[in-house]
Structures are given as C-alpha cells and as structure tokens.
C-alpha cells in the first residue's frame, strides 16, 4: 500500500527485514542515539513513513528522553518507560514549521512545557462541559503559574454532545460564527440573530459564511444554511447612524438588481427609513429578504444568478 502524497509515502512491507532484535546504537552525533529502525519491525507488518532516510532517534538530554521522528517513523514494539512528569519528546520535523510532541504522565503539572510555546499575553482555551470540570483549572494553572507574561486566560466551554451555534450580531459575527458552525464537528445547528441592517437584509440569509485571508476577502468559508434567522427590528434602535446607512446600501441593491417597484418605494420612504420608523424598516427588511431568498433558492452555490447580489461589492471592497 502506498500513498502518492508528495511529502511522504506510507508503505507496509510484506517481509520483515530485520536480522537482529538488538538495537544498534549510532552515537556519531552528539547526544543522539540513533536506532536503525529496521531492527524493530513488527514480526507481522510495519508502517514506514518514507521521507528521507529510514531512521528513528532517541535523544537523552538531561532528564528528558527525546525521540526525533524525522521523515521515517517506524511503528515498533520498542517502548521507553518515562518517569512521572518527564516528557518523551517526538519532534515533528517540518523545517521552520517543526514542533515537538510531549508525551508523558503528569505533564499538565509541567508549566514550562506550555510556557515556551505561548506567545503574547492573552490565551483562549476552548473546551466542553465534560472536560472543563476535570482539567480546565489545571490547564489554566499550567499556563499561568510562574509566567507573568500572561495577562488573561479566557475560556469558552461548549456543551458536550450536540450543540447549537447562535450568531448574535452583525455580519462579521454571523459570518465567523456560521463558518465555525460549519466546521465544528463537521457541522452543527446554526441560528442567526442579526442585529445590523446589513445582516438583517443580506448576510444572515443565504448561507454564505466567509472569512477573510491576507490574500483576499472572503477566501475561506462554506455555504452553510442556518436553521432559522430571527430578526428583531428593535435591535436597530441602538445601531450607530453610520452602520444604519451603510446597511441601506444593500436594501437599495435589492431594488436596483431585480425589484423596480421596491426601488420606487425606497425613493418615497427613505426619510422614514433614516428615522428608523418601525413599519418602514420591517417592510424594507421583509422585501429585501424575499428578494434574496428567491435568488438563493434558484442558485444556492452562486453558479450564475446569485452573483447579481454582489452588485457594487468589487468597488466597495476596493474602497
Ligand atoms: N455572508 C454574506 O452573505 C454577507 C453579505 C454581506 C456582508 N457580509 C459581511 O458582513 C460584514 C459586515 O457586517 P455589518 O455591516 O453587520 O458589520 P459588523 O458586523 O462589523 O457590525 C457593525 C458594528 O455594529 C455593531 N453592532 C452590531 N449590532 C449592533 C446593535 N444592534 N447595536 C449597536 N451596535 C451594533 C458591531 O459591534 C460593529 O461594531 C462584512 O464582513 C461582510 O463581508 C456577509
């Protein structure tokens, strides 16, 4: 069996090649005890990750035992009994993206292991309500004890088992939460409660859940439809004027691209909208959602028609 992955291949040799069961030590590099891995093949089969040479190393550095798993890790029967609190380290050798895997009992009580990898002052721990009572305090202690650099450790405790994500906010919250809902456990129940005009007339409807990347806007995301969208127009009472008018651009868009009658209504009722008249807002939101829902139902994945909803976005994003 062989993988065609460019970085490594996975192979299951049918024959055992070992001629001896005694590990051969190669002490040519300082402190490195490199075992010739072929000596440790299981009598029945082995899995080789062939990158460069076939080698596995174990390093004794002070009290910690270090296994360098470079491009050729062998699954073998050779085990090392480590002391409590003393990590065995497997280095994942990926050039400047290399990282260690610490393995051992009692490592949650070894703050120094985490400290060296935490950068900056703030930490967010995401866990669930089964694990939090068991380990959250220990992890927070491990992150902070003897580490004055950390100014805050926040946590998000998700319910164990089935979970619902509810986005309460504008389009930014809706898009981020929607993408998280699409990705978490390969997709969990998602509800939108939009609180800006933009989100109520546009972003909460249709299932686009995009986030930005330094290379471009909305490059990462998923089409992920919510279970429902709940729009309470009263939430617009606290919206800053600038955000209110910004959202009306999407209302106008719906009129321009496919609903001349609605556009005419807007011309007559813009003052009422700007004054946050509840009936005017409710009508504008309803009519916008009807238009968007119709387009989305005809072309959910934006193969053609849905692109008309992007009217003005190219200019808008550039500006
Ligand atoms: N998924 C889509 O189909 C889609 C469509 C259009 C826009 N978007 C995205 O939506 C985002 C813009 O959304 P937005 O215009 O809602 O901006 P936003 O989410 O940034 O919200 C604007 C500001 O208003 C605040 N706010 C939100 N609700 C409030 C309320 N009720 N009272 C007081 N303050 C409130 C927010 O905290 C924020 O500071 C962009 O990232 C855009 O890419 C997505």
């Amino acid at each position: 069996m062989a993988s065609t992955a460019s970085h490594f291949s996975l192979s299951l040799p049918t024959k055992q090649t070992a001629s001896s069961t005694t590990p051969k030590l190669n002490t040519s590099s300082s402190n490195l005890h490199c075992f010739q891995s072929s000596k440790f093949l299981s009598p029945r089969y082995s899995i080789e990750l062939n990158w460069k040479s076939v080698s596995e190393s174990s390093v004794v550095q002070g009290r910690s035992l270090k296994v360098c798993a470079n491009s050729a890790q062998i699954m073998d029967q050779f085990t090392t009994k480590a002391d409590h609190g003393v990590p065995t380290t497997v280095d994942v050798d990926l050039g400047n993206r290399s990282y260690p895997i610490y393995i051992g009992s009692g490592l949650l009580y070894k703050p120094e292991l985490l400290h060296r990898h935490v950068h900056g002052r703030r930490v967010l721990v995401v866990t669930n309500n089964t694990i939090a009572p068991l380990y959250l305090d220990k992890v927070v202690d491990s992150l902070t004890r003897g580490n004055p650099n950390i100014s805050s450790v926040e946590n998000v405790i998700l319910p164990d088992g089935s979970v619902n994500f509810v986005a309460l906010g504008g389009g930014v919250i809706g898009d981020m939460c929607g993408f998280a809902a699409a990705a978490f456990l390969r997709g969990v129940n998602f509800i939108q409660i939009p609180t800006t005009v933009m989100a109520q007339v546009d972003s909460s409807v249709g299932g686009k859940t995009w986030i930005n990347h330094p290379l471009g806007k909305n490059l990462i995301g998923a089409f992920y439809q919510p279970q429902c969208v709940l729009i309470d127009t009263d939430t617009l009472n606290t919206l800053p004027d600038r955000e209110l008018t910004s959202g009306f651009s999407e209302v106008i868009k719906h009129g321009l691209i496919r609903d001349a009658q609605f556009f005419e209504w807007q011309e007559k009722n813009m003052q009422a909208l700007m004054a946050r008249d509840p009936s005017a807002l409710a009508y504008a939101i309803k009519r916008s959602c009807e238009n968007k829902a119709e387009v989305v139902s005809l072309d959910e994945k934006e193969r053609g028609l849905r692109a008309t909803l992007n009217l003005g976005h190219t200019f808008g994003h550039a500006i």
Side-chain angles (χ1 to χ4, degrees):
M1 184 176 79
S3 154
T4 53
S6 57
H7 284 34
F8 65 88
S9 66
L10 182 66
S11 62
L12 294 173
T14 50
K15 283 185 184 172
Q16 185 185 351
T17 52
S19 56
S20 156
T21 54
T22 312
K24 233 186 208 173
L25 289 179
N26 173 355
T27 53
S28 55
S29 52
S30 67
N31 255 348
L32 274 180
H33 301 262
C34 299
F35 298 94
Q36 290 185 355
S37 51
S38 59
K39 309 299 177 194
F40 304 101
L41 301 182
S42 143
R44 286 168 50 205
Y45 64 86
S46 73
I47 296 173
E48 294 180 15
L49 300 179
N50 299 315
W51 282 349
K52 298 173 198 158
S53 61
V54 178
S55 71
E56 180 179 13
S57 316
S58 105
V59 181
V60 178
Q61 286 181 340
R63 277 174 46 87
S64 80
L65 182 73
K66 188 170 183 180
V67 177
C68 298
N70 56 22
S71 11
Q73 176 85 347
I74 299 295
M75 309 255 312
D76 59 50
Q77 297 169 325
F78 191 90
T79 56
T80 305
K81 196 171 183 317
D83 293 340
H84 186 79
V86 178
T88 294
T89 305
V90 175
D91 283 325
V92 180
D93 184 2
L94 295 170
N96 60 7
R97 288 173 291 105
S98 298
Y99 56 89
I101 303 170
Y102 304 118
I103 303 164
S105 135
L107 299 193
L108 285 183
Y109 296 95
K110 297 303 235 179
E112 66 275 15
L113 293 177
L114 289 176
H115 289 185
R116 64 184 77 147
H117 301 290
V118 174
H119 307 292
R121 302 173 61 79
R122 299 188 300 159
V123 178
L124 175 70
V125 181
V126 180
T127 184
N128 72 26
N129 60 358
T130 302
I131 298 155
L134 300 170
Y135 303 114
L136 183 57
D137 285 350
K138 292 189 184 84
V139 169
V140 172
D141 181 62
S142 201
L143 285 160
T144 51
R145 185 154 40 93
N147 188 0
N149 294 330
I150 300 291
S151 60
S152 77
V153 180
E154 305 287 337
N155 60 66
V156 174
I157 301 177
L158 301 169
D160 201 356
S162 59
V163 62
N164 297 275
F165 282 20
V166 178
L168 172 65
V172 168
I173 297 283
D175 277 14
M176 281 196 310
C177 183
F179 180 55
F184 187 66
L185 296 177
R186 299 175 303 282
V188 296
N189 256 23
F190 172 45
I191 290 171
Q192 290 257 27
I193 305 183
T195 61
T196 62
V197 174
M198 161 76 80
Q200 294 182 355
V201 301
D202 195 359
S203 65
S204 67
V205 178
K208 276 188 182 177
T209 61
W210 303 155
I211 56 173
N212 296 340
H213 183 273
L215 289 179
K217 193 167 163 51
N218 295 344
L219 284 187
I220 299 167
F223 285 99
Y224 195 66
Q225 302 295 348
Q227 299 300 306
C228 78
V229 181
L230 187 142
I231 299 172
D232 183 341
T233 52
D234 289 351
T235 57
L236 301 182
N237 292 335
T238 53
L239 195 64
D241 286 343
R242 187 182 162 86
E243 299 298 342
L244 188 85
T245 48
S246 159
F248 288 148
S249 62
E250 301 292 356
V251 175
I252 295 166
K253 173 191 80 180
H254 289 301
L256 279 176
I257 60 174
R258 67 194 311 276
D259 192 343
Q261 220 180 13
F262 183 34
F263 188 74
E264 283 167 20
W265 177 90
Q266 290 168 24
E267 287 185 312
K268 292 187 189 125
N269 290 279
M270 195 45 79
Q271 290 307 322
L273 287 173
M274 295 295 281
R276 305 179 196 229
D277 177 274
S279 324
L281 284 173
Y283 180 77
I285 293 164
K286 174 177 171 287
R287 193 82 178 234
S288 298
C289 288
E290 283 169 350
N291 274 292
K292 180 143 186 189
E294 202 171 294
V295 172
V296 168
S297 64
L298 292 169
D299 178 20
E300 184 188 6
K301 298 279 171 69
E302 197 167 308
R303 310 267 186 242
L305 177 67
R306 186 166 178 169
T308 60
L309 293 172
N310 300 337
L311 179 77
H313 284 194
T314 310
F315 288 111
H317 293 172
I319 291 166

